[in-house]
Amino acid sequence: MRKKIIYEPTCSDTAVLILDALGKIFIESFWPHPYYHTFCNHNKKRSFRNAVDRLEKRGLIIGERQKNGRVAFTLSPEGEKLANRIALKLKLAKNKHWDGKWRLLIFDIPEKIRGRRDFFRRELIDFGFYPLQKSVLAYPHPLPLEF
């Protein structure tokens, strides 16, 4: 059974990746920019603006009002962590040639923090891991050191 790893970034993911690449940017700079449609298939400026607003409310980006009234956005430290995670997902989603080895990940997370355990399991499956049991997963490609 072959599983193709597909990861399609959302509008929010796209905004985080662009801010990570460019550092500080005005929201108006996204629209004429060629990166605007590079990562996700959104067709309205408002949907992108809503994604930026949600990121700001979650504390992942910081808006700074300039003297001319425009707002410049930068990533917060939490936003930088998210950008690294999104970049890692994109890196793992690239087609790779299997080297014939399986990497096993075994974990034991207590029942007290079941929500975090379930979230962790879902994230691993999203990364392309195959569940063998609930706490045993296999991955067919070498993992980057950042993982």
Side-chain angles (χ1 to χ4, degrees):
M1 171 174 87
R2 291 185 83 181
K3 181 178 178 184
K4 185 175 181 183
I5 304 166
I6 298 173
Y7 174 65
E8 295 179 8
T10 62
C11 289
S12 298
D13 293 349
T14 303
V16 169
L17 288 172
I18 292 171
L19 279 170
D20 186 45
L22 300 177
K24 187 181 232 181
I25 192 166
F26 296 104
I27 192 69
E28 299 87 14
S29 303
F30 284 109
W31 288 285
H33 206 279
Y35 292 132
Y36 177 61
H37 292 288
T38 301
F39 297 109
C40 65
N41 298 322
H42 53 280
N43 54 10
K44 294 186 179 177
K45 290 180 186 180
R46 190 69 215 157
S47 65
F48 197 77
R49 178 63 198 191
N50 288 342
V52 170
D53 289 342
R54 284 190 301 273
L55 289 169
E56 191 173 19
K57 284 179 186 170
R58 288 174 51 199
L60 298 171
I61 63 174
I62 300 165
E64 213 179 288
R65 189 157 301 278
Q66 304 294 310
K67 291 179 182 177
N68 60 4
R70 295 169 58 193
V71 179
F73 290 96
T74 56
L75 285 176
S76 68
E78 287 297 315
E80 289 176 11
K81 289 179 188 175
L82 178 64
N84 291 336
R85 199 169 100 214
I86 293 167
L88 180 61
K89 279 185 179 182
L90 286 171
K91 185 177 178 181
L92 289 175
K94 289 182 183 175
N95 277 343
K96 300 175 189 166
H97 182 69
W98 186 41
D99 61 359
K101 297 178 186 176
W102 286 94
R103 284 80 183 163
L104 289 179
L105 184 109
I106 302 169
F107 63 90
D108 185 23
I109 300 174
E111 181 67 23
K112 286 190 282 186
I113 51 175
R114 173 186 232 164
R116 291 181 186 174
R117 181 183 64 204
D118 293 342
F119 173 77
F120 180 63
R121 186 181 305 120
R122 280 191 309 271
E123 283 289 305
L124 289 172
I125 291 170
D126 286 348
F127 271 115
F129 281 80
Y130 297 94
L132 301 177
Q133 292 181 357
K134 287 198 172 199
S135 62
V136 179
L137 296 103
Y139 190 69
H141 304 290
L143 291 167
L145 293 176
E146 316 73 77
F147 192 80

